[in-house]
Amino acid sequence: NQIQGVSNTSGFAAVDIDFRPPESYQWNLTISREVMKNTVLEVSYIGNHGLHIWRRNVNWNDVPPGVPCKGGAAVGCDPALLNDARFQIASRVRQGLSTDAMVAANRRIPSLAGITMAQSTGNSSYHGLQTWLNRRFSERLAFQASYTWAHAISDVPLQAFTNSTTDPFNYALDKGDSDLDRRQSFVGNIVYQLPSFKDRGTAFSQILGNWQLNGIISFYGSVPVDILSGVNTYGTAGNVNPRPNLVLGVPIYLNTGDETQWLNPAAFSLPGVGELGSLGKGAIRGKSTNNVDFSIVKNWNFGERYSIQFRGEMFNVFNHPNFANQAGYQNALNFQGNSTLPNLGSVTNGAFGTIGQASPPREIQFGFKFSF
C-alpha cells in the first residue's frame, strides 16, 4: 500500500530477486569399435541435469494452501465448510458463484492483485542410450543408422514461451515426463551407387551406369500431450487449468479406424472440490512419426565444364499420416463444472481428442539441372 494508487485490483509483472542464469551439467561415456571393414559402431550413455531453468508467468500472488478463509461472510467464507481458503474458493466455483472477493482477501499479499513472476526455479534431467552405426562410402555403398532410447523429466515446460505452473507453492506437482520427452528415435540413411557398366560400351554405360539410389528412414516416438480440465477445482487464484482425473479401466486411446480420433473423453473425469486431478504430467502421449524418403540421381558429364543431372525424389514414400503433436490436438475437456446446471462433469468440447494438423502427404518431384 506504499505505492500510490494500488489496490487489490492492481496487477504487476515481476522478476524474482533471486533469479539466476540457467546451469547445465552434462556427462557421457562412449565406446567405439570397428565391427567390420569400413564400419564403426558407437554406443553412448548421455546424461544431463538442468538447474535454474526459466519458469515463466508464475502467478506468485496466489492463495496459499491450508490457510483459514479470511474476510468472513463479507467475501463468502462459510464456517460450515472446511476452514481452508482454497477449498472454499473451489466450492464457490462449483456452485457458479463469484470468487473475486474471496480470492482478493486470501492472496499472499491481499492488497495487490496478481503478480506475474519470472523465476529460475525449474529443473530437468535427461538420460539416454545412443547407438550409432556408420559405414563410410566404400565399394559403392554407404549407410548410417542411429537409435536413441531416452527419458527426459522436468518440473517446468522446456518448450519456448510455454506457461504451466499448477501451484506456485508446490512445484513438485508439475514434475513428470518433459513436454520434449521422446522415449525412442531412429534415423537411418543409405547411399548406393550402381556400377558404371563401362565394360559394356559407352551407350550402355550412359543409360544404365552410375545411377545413385538414396534413402532416409525416420522414426520418432510420441511426445506428451497436456490434458486440461477447463475447471478450477483446485481453488487457486487463477484458473490454472488443472489436469483431470484418470478413470481406471477405461481405454485412453481410441481405435475406431479414423486416425484423427485419438483420445477417449470417457477416460477422464472432473476432480472433486479442492482436488487436483490424478492424471500425472506427461502421462498422455500423442502419435509417433514415421517417414521414408527416397531419391534416384543420375549425372552425365560432358568434358570438364558441363554436366547434366537428373533427380527423382519421393518424400513420405508410403504416404504415412504424421500428425502434429501438442498444437494439433484438441486437448481441453472443458468440463461442465457448475453443480447448479445439468450434466455436471460432462465434457463440453465435442472435438476433444481429435487431431487437426498433420505433416504433408506423399510428394514426388523430378528435375533436371545443367551445370557449366
Side-chain angles (χ1 to χ4, degrees):
N1 287 331
Q2 296 177 356
I3 303 176
Q4 184 178 2
V6 303
S7 68
N8 59 12
T9 61
S10 302
F12 289 89
V15 177
D16 190 345
I17 196 172
D18 295 319
F19 198 96
R20 297 178 57 180
E23 297 177 7
S24 178
Y25 296 87
Q26 305 173 22
W27 56 93
N28 69 84
L29 174 66
T30 300
I31 299 175
S32 179
R33 183 174 179 84
E34 186 177 40
V35 292
M36 63 181 69
K37 185 180 179 180
N38 300 315
T39 305
V40 174
L41 174 66
E42 286 190 357
V43 179
S44 304
Y45 160 69
I46 308 294
N48 180 287
H49 181 47
L51 297 171
H52 313 302
I53 301 174
W54 184 21
R55 192 183 300 275
R56 185 171 179 262
N57 290 350
V58 177
N59 188 18
W60 184 86
N61 197 24
D62 210 313
V63 178
V67 298
C69 188
K70 303 171 185 176
V75 299
C77 294
D78 188 345
L81 297 176
L82 292 176
N83 192 21
D84 184 302
R86 282 193 178 181
F87 182 85
Q88 299 219 20
I89 291 171
S91 296
R92 291 184 68 84
V93 171
R94 183 59 56 93
Q95 299 170 50
L97 302 174
S98 172
T99 61
D100 293 345
M102 186 179 293
V103 166
N106 288 277
R107 289 184 184 273
R108 191 186 319 215
I109 303 178
S111 57
L112 296 177
I115 298 178
T116 303
M117 179 78 75
Q119 297 181 336
S120 59
T121 53
N123 301 278
S124 70
S125 65
Y126 173 89
H127 301 279
L129 172 67
Q130 300 180 359
T131 59
W132 179 59
L133 183 66
N134 177 46
R135 175 191 167 94
R136 65 182 183 181
F137 191 79
S138 175
E139 298 177 352
R140 305 190 308 276
L141 175 66
F143 60 78
Q144 293 186 56
S146 63
Y147 171 76
T148 301
W149 179 44
H151 192 191
I153 299 174
S154 72
D155 60 6
V156 64
L158 299 181
Q159 296 190 77
F161 302 106
T162 301
N163 306 320
S164 179
T165 300
T166 301
D167 187 346
F169 296 89
N170 185 4
Y171 297 139
L173 293 176
D174 292 323
K175 183 177 181 180
D177 292 351
S178 163
D179 46 8
L180 301 180
D181 178 49
R182 291 187 190 272
R183 296 298 176 87
Q184 298 187 75
S185 300
F186 173 84
V187 178
N189 65 73
I190 185 169
V191 176
Y192 179 69
Q193 186 170 6
L194 294 175
S196 65
F197 299 113
K198 288 184 178 180
D199 56 337
R200 303 207 177 176
T202 302
F204 197 93
S205 177
Q206 289 293 333
I207 297 173
L208 298 179
N210 291 322
W211 285 89
Q212 180 177 305
L213 309 179
N214 312 291
I216 300 175
I217 302 174
S218 305
F219 168 81
Y220 299 104
S222 60
V223 296
V225 176
D226 294 328
I227 306 300
L228 309 177
S229 73
V231 180
N232 184 3
T233 60
Y234 199 43
T236 47
N239 184 5
V240 295
N241 240 331
R243 296 181 291 273
N245 283 331
L246 182 64
V247 181
L248 299 179
V250 178
I252 298 173
Y253 304 102
L254 296 173
N255 188 18
T256 63
D258 183 351
E259 292 282 354
T260 64
Q261 302 294 321
W262 185 231
L263 297 176
N264 180 11
F268 310 96
S269 65
L270 179 67
V273 174
E275 295 179 355
L276 187 66
S278 61
L279 181 66
K281 178 189 173 184
I284 305 301
R285 296 274 170 163
K287 291 197 173 187
S288 59
T289 299
N290 301 276
N291 191 68
V292 178
D293 299 328
F294 174 79
S295 68
I296 182 170
V297 180
K298 169 66 174 176
N299 294 297
W300 291 273
N301 297 317
F302 303 95
E304 297 182 356
R305 297 184 55 188
Y306 307 103
S307 66
I308 296 177
Q309 182 186 79
F310 165 76
R311 298 186 66 89
E313 298 171 315
M314 296 180 63
F315 303 96
N316 192 5
V317 172
F318 299 107
N319 203 29
H320 187 275
N322 290 311
F323 296 99
N325 285 292
Q326 290 289 2
Y329 286 78
Q330 286 281 346
N331 61 336
L333 290 152
N334 295 341
F335 284 121
Q336 198 288 90
N338 188 336
S339 61
T340 66
L341 299 176
N343 301 321
L344 174 67
S346 62
V347 177
T348 64
N349 181 9
F352 171 79
T354 61
I355 312 173
Q357 295 182 19
S359 299
R362 180 194 296 120
E363 296 180 357
I364 304 174
Q365 63 184 29
F366 302 96
F368 282 94
K369 181 168 65 174
F370 174 61
S371 300
F372 58 93

